[in-house]
């Protein structure tokens, strides 16, 4: 079966997803001759008006609950409508991984956008943080609808950037004015310094940045404090050094670290020992990753005291 392009629109009820999709299907430029399936995963206050669609051959299907979100059902719907393009209005209370697990093999995500009502975003972020994180972590664009001039864009910016440095941020004001977020977001450490020194509070940002932009770090020298992990699975002469990181809430705290070649610079290292290392960054295969990854070649290893906050965060 040929690949089917998937356009995935995320967000909570009344965030503006339905209106955006309606306007998209009313745009004659979207008429490509492809058979389109609109998959609705939640019923909102606004209903679709197919009579206004300029895109032809649109079949509408509704998933009543999450049990219908499975590969067999989605493939059957694809075959039923001979869909070449799928537009999904996703349920804001369903986790994104549930969708990925249910995708037929022929489905390929082409675009992912997330919508929030600017007036209720802070409340959702405070009370449903895990769902907010889930809808931003992989999106290409985050849109804040019904934005007002008195809102502090920096507050919205910080929350999004604490989750993703890749997503574009758009503010759509009441009345239709649209502004793109152009706030410069410098890292709290100097990547171009002779030694990239990472403060304890900045480890989570450092870990994510080096994972996303490894090419910018290869050959550079870094210095940071971490907690060691030693096991038989780690190659001789190596340790793993990292921190427990809380991404969005206590439930998702996990240990993340780098493979570090310490050689004989410091002996007797045990799991949970706190160390400060100065090391050169390489990108090579290591069994810690079961693939290529950032490997730190230690130049100096020192024992250290635990940081005041042992769990690292993005804030």
């Amino acid at each position: 079966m040929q690949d089917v392009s998937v356009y995935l629109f995320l967000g909570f009820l009344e965030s503006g997803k339905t209106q955006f999709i309606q306007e998209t299907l009313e745009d004659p430029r979207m008429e490509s001759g492809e058979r389109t399936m609109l998959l609705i995963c939640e019923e909102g206050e606004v209903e679709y008006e197919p009579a206004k669609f300029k895109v032809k051959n649109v079949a509408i299907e509704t998933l009543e609950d999450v049990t219908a979100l499975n590969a067999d059902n989605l493939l059957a719907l694809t075959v039923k409508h001979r869909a070449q393009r799928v537009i999904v209005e996703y349920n804001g209370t369903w986790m994104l991984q549930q969708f990925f697990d249910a995708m037929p093999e022929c489905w390929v995500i082409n675009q992912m956008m997330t919508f929030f009502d600017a007036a209720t975003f802070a409340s959702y972020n405070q009370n449903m943080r895990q769902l907010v994180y889930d809808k931003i972590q992989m999106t290409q664009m985050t849109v804040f609808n019904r934005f007002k001039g008195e809102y502090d864009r920096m507050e919205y910016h910080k929350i999004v950037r604490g989750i993703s440095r890749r997503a574009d941020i758009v503010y759509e004001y009441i009345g239709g004015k649209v502004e793109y977020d152009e706030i410069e977001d410098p890292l709290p450490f100097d990547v171009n310094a002779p030694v990239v020194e990472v403060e304890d509070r900045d480890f989570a940002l450092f870990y994510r940045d080096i994972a996303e932009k490894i090419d910018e770090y290869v050959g550079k020298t870094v210095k940071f404090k971490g907690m060691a992990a030693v096991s038989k699975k780690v190659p001789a002469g190596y340790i793993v050094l990292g921190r427990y990181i809380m991404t969005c809430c206590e439930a998702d705290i996990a240990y993340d670290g780098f493979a570090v070649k310490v050689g004989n610079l410091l002996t007797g290292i045990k799991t949970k020992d706190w160390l400060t290392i100065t090391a050169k960054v390489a990108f090579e295969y290591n069994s810690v990753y079961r693939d290529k990854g950032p490997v730190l070649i230690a130049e100096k290893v020192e024992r250290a005291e635990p940081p005041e906050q042992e769990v690292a965060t993005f804030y």
Side-chain angles (χ1 to χ4, degrees), residues 188-207:
F189 43 85
D190 186 358
V191 178
N192 296 312
V195 178
V196 182
E197 297 197 42
V198 181
E199 298 292 333
D200 293 339
R201 65 179 180 272
D202 301 324
F203 179 83
L205 285 171
F206 168 67
Y207 181 83

Side-chain angles (χ1 to χ4, degrees), residues 34-210:
E34 294 178 302
R35 290 182 294 275
T36 302
M37 178 169 66
L38 172 57
L39 192 63
I40 305 170
C41 299
E42 64 181 0
E43 293 287 353
E45 295 293 325
V46 179
E47 294 186 0
Y48 286 100
E49 299 181 71
K52 294 183 177 180
F53 292 171
K54 293 295 189 294
V55 174
K56 302 175 183 178
N57 297 320
V58 179
I60 300 178
E61 292 283 353
T62 300
L63 300 186
E64 299 293 343
D65 57 60
V66 74
T67 59
L69 189 68
N70 60 76
D72 290 341
N73 187 38
L74 298 184
L75 182 58
L77 292 174
T78 305
V79 173
K80 173 184 175 182
H81 299 293
R82 295 184 297 151
Q84 299 167 293
R85 175 171 61 184
V86 177
I87 296 174
V88 183
E89 181 180 0
Y90 198 59
N91 191 310
T93 64
W94 298 355
M95 298 300 286
L96 198 51
Q97 190 61 47
Q98 293 173 286
F99 180 80
F100 294 149
D101 291 342
M103 282 177 55
E105 290 186 7
C106 59
W107 281 23
V108 178
I109 293 179
N110 192 52
Q111 186 177 41
M112 191 183 305
M113 295 177 63
T114 301
F115 296 81
F116 294 105
D117 183 336
T120 59
F121 177 69
S123 176
Y124 273 112
N125 186 59
Q126 182 176 358
N127 299 306
M128 304 175 71
R129 171 69 179 167
Q130 189 169 10
L131 288 174
V132 170
Y133 172 84
D134 183 63
K135 303 306 178 291
I136 294 177
Q137 59 175 326
M138 297 180 68
T139 194
Q140 295 162 312
M141 179 179 290
T142 299
V143 180
F144 291 106
N145 280 313
R146 308 177 188 99
F147 207 78
K148 296 181 180 179
E150 63 264 30
Y151 294 162
D152 183 358
R153 285 193 298 172
M154 181 60 78
E155 293 303 314
Y156 294 79
H157 172 93
K158 285 181 178 178
I159 292 172
V160 175
R161 285 291 171 259
I163 299 170
S164 170
R165 295 179 64 85
R166 298 177 179 178
D168 291 329
I169 304 173
V170 178
Y171 307 98
E172 185 166 340
Y173 290 79
I174 296 173
K177 177 184 175 183
V178 174
E179 288 185 350
Y180 283 81
D181 188 301
E182 296 181 349
I183 298 173
E184 290 191 15
D185 199 32
L187 291 166
F189 43 85
D190 186 358
V191 178
N192 296 312
V195 178
V196 182
E197 297 197 42
V198 181
E199 298 292 333
D200 293 339
R201 65 179 180 272
D202 301 324
F203 179 83
L205 285 171
F206 168 67
Y207 181 83
R208 185 176 66 190
D209 200 59
I210 199 172

